[in-house]
Amino acid sequence: AVVSTQSGHYGRGSYSSRTHRYYVNGVLLGSQTPPSGRRFYTGGAAVVGKWVTTSSNHDFAGQMAYLNVYNKELSSSEVASMARAGLCSIAVDQHETYRVFKWEDILKKTRTGSIVDYYIGECVEELVEVMGGRVEEAERRQNSTAAELSLALAEKEDLSTRLNRTQIDKEDLSTRLNSTQIELEELLANLNRTWDWDVFLTDQFLNETFTSEHSLLLRSSWDGIADKLVGIRITEEFLTLSAHIDKKEDRPWTMLYSDNYFNEVFTKEKAARLTSIWDGISEKLVGITLTKEIIELLNHVTDKTNCGK
């Protein structure tokens, strides 16, 4: 137990160590080992402020404050620390786990004799100051926590904005990749295609400025008729007759003089080629005057045998 008074501390050792140690103002004055065989008994009454023997009673004539009983023996340094903290200290809180008899509970017990409560004003003032400091510290920590929370929310919002921006960039990149993929597929398709540029050597196109009407004529004039040519050998006589009887006078029959068709049996593959070969390219010719030099140049740059030269 540790009894805190205005003048000092009195300590008593544990039962298990069988040693009593006495302190005044935190300084160990001495120790005593009781005779063997003595022990604590349960079931009796504990009295504070009176020493009762079989022959006499002795009342405590003085002031008492902060009597506490612990279920462990405090060390010399712990007792000294409590003494240095002073009468008004709340150092007892450091050992709260081990307090079994508490001063605040003792004050609620029944009292006998002439007992007067003593108001320790300076302790109340110190306690108010300590509690005020704790309140200020709590407010400071609360403000700090609020600031950290505000910063965390701002960082969260910034991260959300960046994630949204990243998502937009990702979608934009995906769109661009898809567009590039389409362009690559178109390029690969064009690399495997050959164009009959010599068709432009006819009076229908030669030295004429290529127009959107010309483009449409190349791309659509064979729709609906190319499939009907399948199985026919494309000869001079056939082309002359077809051009003569064709009700669509501007259909470019001269396209079939190309080596890809002339004197060849017209097949489904040739029909598909005839109806699609100018898709995606004829529009790019609009505005160009198709001179013989231009046609020769187009033949040269699209001739696969010239690759790498």
Side-chain angles (χ1 to χ4, degrees):
V2 175
V3 180
S4 175
T5 69
Q6 190 67 29
S7 59
H9 291 73
Y10 164 81
R12 183 172 183 177
S14 69
Y15 170 73
S16 60
S17 67
R18 297 187 55 79
T19 301
H20 296 176
R21 295 181 177 84
Y22 304 93
Y23 298 85
V24 174
N25 292 331
V27 178
L28 178 65
L29 296 184
S31 62
Q32 180 182 12
T33 301
S36 62
R38 289 191 178 183
R39 56 182 302 178
F40 289 112
Y41 292 92
T42 60
V47 179
V48 177
K50 181 183 289 289
W51 180 24
V52 180
T53 67
T54 55
S55 59
S56 62
N57 295 333
H58 303 275
D59 293 328
F60 177 74
Q63 295 176 343
M64 182 183 299
Y66 307 135
L67 171 64
N68 293 285
V69 178
Y70 299 86
N71 61 5
K72 78 159 190 171
E73 182 179 0
L74 299 180
S75 66
S76 298
S77 60
E78 288 172 333
V79 174
S81 176
M82 295 175 70
R84 288 193 300 270
L87 179 64
C88 301
S89 170
I90 54 176
V92 67
D93 291 350
Q94 299 174 6
H95 311 289
E96 181 62 27
T97 304
Y98 307 105
R99 279 205 306 163
V100 290
F101 291 166
K102 303 179 181 181
W103 176 246
E104 57 268 29
D105 294 335
I106 294 174
L107 293 176
K108 300 174 184 177
K109 302 297 182 180
T110 302
R111 306 180 187 184
T112 59
S114 300
I115 300 176
V116 179
D117 290 333
Y118 178 70
Y119 177 71
I120 309 176
E122 63 270 24
C123 287
V124 174
E125 294 174 359
E126 184 172 332
L127 180 61
V128 170
E129 183 178 351
V130 170
M131 294 308 296
R134 289 188 175 183
V135 170
E136 290 178 0
E137 175 64 16
E139 291 177 347
R140 186 193 66 77
R141 293 172 62 185
Q142 181 179 3
N143 291 337
S144 176
T145 301
E148 292 175 356
L149 178 60
S150 178
L151 178 61
L153 289 175
E155 291 177 348
K156 177 184 177 183
E157 185 173 351
D158 177 65
L159 178 59
S160 177
T161 300
R162 291 167 59 190
L163 286 175
N164 290 336
R165 188 181 301 118
T166 300
Q167 180 64 27
I168 293 174
D169 292 343
K170 179 181 177 182
E171 293 174 357
D172 178 63
L173 179 59
S174 178
T175 301
R176 292 167 59 190
L177 286 175
N178 289 336
S179 176
T180 302
Q181 179 66 25
I182 294 173
E183 292 175 357
L184 285 174
E185 291 175 355
E186 181 179 348
L187 177 60
L188 289 174
N190 288 336
L191 287 175
N192 294 323
R193 293 165 66 183
T194 57
W195 293 275
D196 302 319
W197 298 108
D198 288 344
V199 68
F200 298 119
L201 293 173
T202 63
D203 294 340
Q204 194 172 11
F205 302 103
L206 186 62
N207 293 323
E208 296 286 337
T209 299
F210 200 78
T211 65
S212 56
E213 289 75 16
H214 288 140
S215 173
L216 181 62
L217 179 65
L218 284 178
R219 290 182 288 108
S220 63
S221 61
W222 297 105
D223 294 343
I225 191 172
D227 289 340
K228 296 177 182 179
L229 301 179
V230 174
I232 298 175
R233 181 175 293 278
I234 308 301
T235 63
E236 178 73 33
E237 293 77 9
F238 173 76
L239 292 176
T240 301
L241 178 62
S242 297
H244 178 71
I245 65 176
D246 189 8
K247 295 180 180 180
K248 187 176 177 62
E249 296 180 356
D250 57 352
R251 195 189 315 274
W253 287 97
T254 53
M255 289 178 62
L256 300 183
Y257 280 103
S258 165
D259 292 341
N260 291 305
Y261 309 105
F262 193 63
N263 286 326
E264 297 284 341
V265 175
F266 203 78
T267 63
K268 290 183 179 180
E269 291 75 18
K270 293 181 184 297
R273 184 177 188 278
L274 187 63
T275 56
S276 63
I277 190 64
W278 296 106
D279 292 346
I281 189 65
S282 62
E283 300 93 329
K284 295 179 172 61
L285 299 176
V286 173
I288 297 176
T289 300
L290 297 173
T291 63
K292 187 175 181 180
E293 292 76 10
I294 291 294
I295 296 170
E296 289 177 352
L297 178 61
L298 290 172
N299 270 317
H300 178 75
V301 298
T302 57
D303 187 352
K304 290 185 174 60
T305 61
N306 294 320
C307 293
K309 295 182 179 179

